[in-house]
């Protein structure tokens, strides 16, 4: 049982997380998180790990499971996000595990650091976001750099995991440089350390000052997109209501827009406009430049059906 | 209190989520999720919403709070991920709210759909991932298309929210076309509907068949990166151990690599190699093409310090 315990406070654990730990014969995990469930571990074998390789923990878990023990591998946050889920499956497959080999695997989901940290600073993740680890212990730097460049250009909210450590001090500087190529210097940045725990620290800064900020191994860094703002101490990324509603005029829908329907610049409206631009003489290459999309995608889009859906489909509501 | 209840099963709610609902005078939320906490809502005002605009729910919540009520706004998953957190803060700010105006705001984090769905299919999110909503009700299509193109090219695992509805049937087709420009046709895709609920459905397919798959409004779609594989019915994205360890040789570290240290192709090693390539005669433009990074970033990288950290910093361990 790979148990995600969330940010590390008892009240933010799920019922299933606590139950899984209570059911286990053996608990394996980082000492700090095991302390949180001290009431549940009486009489159990407890293997407290320090900062050792995840593979070791998975291998120990497998050995105990093969001996017939129920094992709870405890992760902070969510075990599937830079946690024990991946390493455990890799170890299992390397050892020839199959689902009918007598060892069942359950992953208990939890709120990851990006969810917990976001909850403390406002609503930064409201729109499309990504998670990037700045750890190059297993990943070549160019892979990380290309990812930072891509999400900066495409205007994602960015959550940085493993942003900095005693050895890795320059990755955050490089990340800042890459993001500044596409994002304004005053883009809001939130840094949260030890969310929901005793030494919790929350600070706000801007992208141009991010590299000098107090960031450590227990920090998660949230970088806003081009629309994110900070107001009254809250970092908020708009969902896009301003595209449809004139909020300054009491919320009336803008001309050409309808509540509960795609925007006039949603897919079908955009395809129709694109096809009209083409018929008016714009070449695919010109359209590609104008819309900042690949030319071969524009060519496909010019051939895509752009009619409105049938009345029957239109009956089905949508939030 | 904006309460993220997780996937929608009682055991996967956190203690704080249940406590917040128990504390509230008024509960506002989608009828399905309110049913889950039937035991907690005795004697409370319950406003069951259908598929209405999030702004309405936030406005009702504010009105009750101004009347002195404690309000729990219930969201599935995590309120910060395409949920009520953003809309609520937008409504609050539009109404002139400040933190000292007598209305406190708490966001209770929960596991979002991507965490819950991932837990059911294996370990797809192990490495860098992103979330993209295919809903163009508030977002122009070109914005979404540019994001799909960017994350496909930079090899992220992709979680699609709001992938399809009665009216929006073509966005998933366009998304597939964009992703296929950079991702193999046999890239694993998992589709999860109603995770941890009575009508839970899990299916696996590949990117080239994704548009024909059974996908609806209750589905989350997880698309693997270039390394993701499916084995024994589990979708797993490797963390990158193969970059450092020769798993086929019992896990020995590869030549030039060290456990607990950055890869030889991590930032410092990469910078040194880049600077050596430059000194050997490669121009910044050639290096940009070779490493598939922007030329001006390469120029900055050629000037970056590439020495190893001090012995003191090297003492500090890192997982």
């Amino acid at each position: 049982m790979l148990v995600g315990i969330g940010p590390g406070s008892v009240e933010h654990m799920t019922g299933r997380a606590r139950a899984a730990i209570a059911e286990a014969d053996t608990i394996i995990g980082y000492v700090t998180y095991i302390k949180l469930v001290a009431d549940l571990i009486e009489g159990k074998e407890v293997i407290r790990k320090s900062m050792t390789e995840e593979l070791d923990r998975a291998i120990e878990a497998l050995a105990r499971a093969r001996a017939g023990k129920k094992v709870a591998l405890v992760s902070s946050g969510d075990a599937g996000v830079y946690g024990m889920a991946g390493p455990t499956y890799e170890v299992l497959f390397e050892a020839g595990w199959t689902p009918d080999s007598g060892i069942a695997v359950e992953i208990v989901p939890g709120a990851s650091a990006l969810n917990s940290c976001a909850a403390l600073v406002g609503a930064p993740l409201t729109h499309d976001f990504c998670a990037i680890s700045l750890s190059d212990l297993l990943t070549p730097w160019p892979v990380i750099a290309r990812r930072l460049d891509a999400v900066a250009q495409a205007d994602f909210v960015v959550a940085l995991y493993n942003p900095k450590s005693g050895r890795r001090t320059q990755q955050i500087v490089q990340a800042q440089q890459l993001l500044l190529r596409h994002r304004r210097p005053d883009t809001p940045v939130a840094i949260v350390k030890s969310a929901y725990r005793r030494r919790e620290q929350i600070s706000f800064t801007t992208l141009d000052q991010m590299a000098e900020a107090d960031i450590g191994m227990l920090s998660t860094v949230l970088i806003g997109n081009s629309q994110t703002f900070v107001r009254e101490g809250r970092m908020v990324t708009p969902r896009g209501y301003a595209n449809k509603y004139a909020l300054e005029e009491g919320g009336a829908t803008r001309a050409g827009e309808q509540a509960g329907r795609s925007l006039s610049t949603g897919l079908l409206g955009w395809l129709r406009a694109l096809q009209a631009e083409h018929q008016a003489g714009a070449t695919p290459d010109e359209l590609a430049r104008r819309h900042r999309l690949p030319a071969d995608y524009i060519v496909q889009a010019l051939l895509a059906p752009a009619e409105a859906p049938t009345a029957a489909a239109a009956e089905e509501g949508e939030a």
Side-chain angles (χ1 to χ4, degrees), chain A:
Chain A
M1 297 170 289
L2 282 75
V3 182
I5 63 165
S9 95
V10 175
E11 57 176 357
H12 286 281
M13 289 179 62
T14 66
R16 182 61 198 146
R18 287 180 57 79
I21 291 168
E23 287 170 27
D25 305 303
T26 300
I27 316 288
I28 301 178
Y30 184 44
V31 57
T32 307
Y33 305 123
I34 285 178
K35 279 189 199 162
L36 284 178
V37 293
D39 60 314
L40 298 173
I41 64 178
E42 286 278 338
K44 300 183 191 299
E45 177 186 23
V46 179
I47 302 176
R48 291 169 182 78
K49 290 300 200 182
S50 58
M51 297 295 245
T52 51
E53 295 285 355
E54 299 122 332
L55 293 177
D56 290 344
R57 274 179 258 171
I59 289 167
E60 286 231 50
L62 176 57
R64 294 295 187 287
R66 278 175 160 163
K69 302 292 187 188
K70 269 193 166 176
V71 184
L73 257 172
V74 172
S75 281
S76 67
D78 181 64
V81 176
Y82 306 113
M84 287 301 303
T88 299
Y89 271 116
E90 291 194 66
V91 163
L92 286 172
F93 288 141
E94 191 65 32
W97 172 85
T98 64
D100 50 15
S101 61
I103 294 175
V105 182
E106 176 190 356
I107 296 171
V108 180
S112 185
L114 61 87
N115 305 105
S116 303
C117 297
L120 287 172
V121 304
L125 300 180
T126 310
H127 215 309
D128 305 327
F129 65 91
C130 65
I132 295 178
S133 168
L134 291 192
S135 169
D136 57 7
L137 267 62
L138 298 172
T139 307
W141 178 255
V143 172
I144 302 173
R146 284 192 288 268
R147 288 176 179 167
L148 289 160
D149 183 57
V151 297
Q153 188 159 17
D155 205 22
F156 280 84
V157 175
V158 181
L160 294 180
Y161 280 67
N162 309 314
K164 195 172 176 180
S165 73
R167 282 202 190 91
R168 290 186 303 102
T169 59
Q170 296 306 306
Q171 286 78 358
I172 188 72
V173 179
Q174 296 282 316
Q176 178 192 48
Q177 287 177 357
L178 281 156
L179 295 170
L180 279 171
R181 295 182 65 255
H182 299 286
R183 205 63 59 87
R184 290 192 321 271
D186 66 352
T187 298
V189 175
I191 301 161
V192 182
K193 199 182 284 200
S194 300
Y196 295 95
R197 292 167 60 189
R198 187 164 49 89
R199 291 189 188 144
E200 177 185 290
Q201 275 181 56
I202 300 168
S203 63
F204 290 94
T205 183
T206 50
L207 184 56
D208 58 350
Q209 313 217 2
M210 183 177 78
E212 287 74 53
D214 179 18
I215 296 172
M217 291 204 54
L218 302 178
S219 306
T220 300
V221 181
L222 299 173
I223 301 152
N225 70 15
S226 65
Q227 307 301 307
T228 306
F229 62 91
V230 175
R231 188 164 155 181
E232 305 296 342
R234 302 299 196 276
M235 181 171 162
V236 176
T237 298
R239 185 71 186 88
Y241 295 103
N243 291 324
K244 178 168 283 185
Y245 303 101
L247 297 174
E248 66 283 3
E249 294 164 27
T253 46
R254 295 188 187 282
E257 307 300 345
Q258 287 179 277
R261 295 290 202 283
S262 293
L263 285 179
S264 59
T265 49
L267 178 61
L268 295 184
W270 181 75
L271 287 175
R272 283 194 287 266
L274 190 78
Q275 289 163 12
E277 287 173 67
H278 181 54
Q279 280 176 343
T283 65
D285 279 344
E286 281 168 4
L287 292 169
R289 273 191 299 276
R290 189 178 303 172
H291 294 283
R292 287 178 287 134
L293 283 165
D296 61 287
Y297 172 69
I298 293 289
V299 169
Q300 281 176 313
L302 288 172
L303 300 169
E307 303 87 30
T310 65
E315 284 299 302
E316 187 186 317
E318 173 166 23

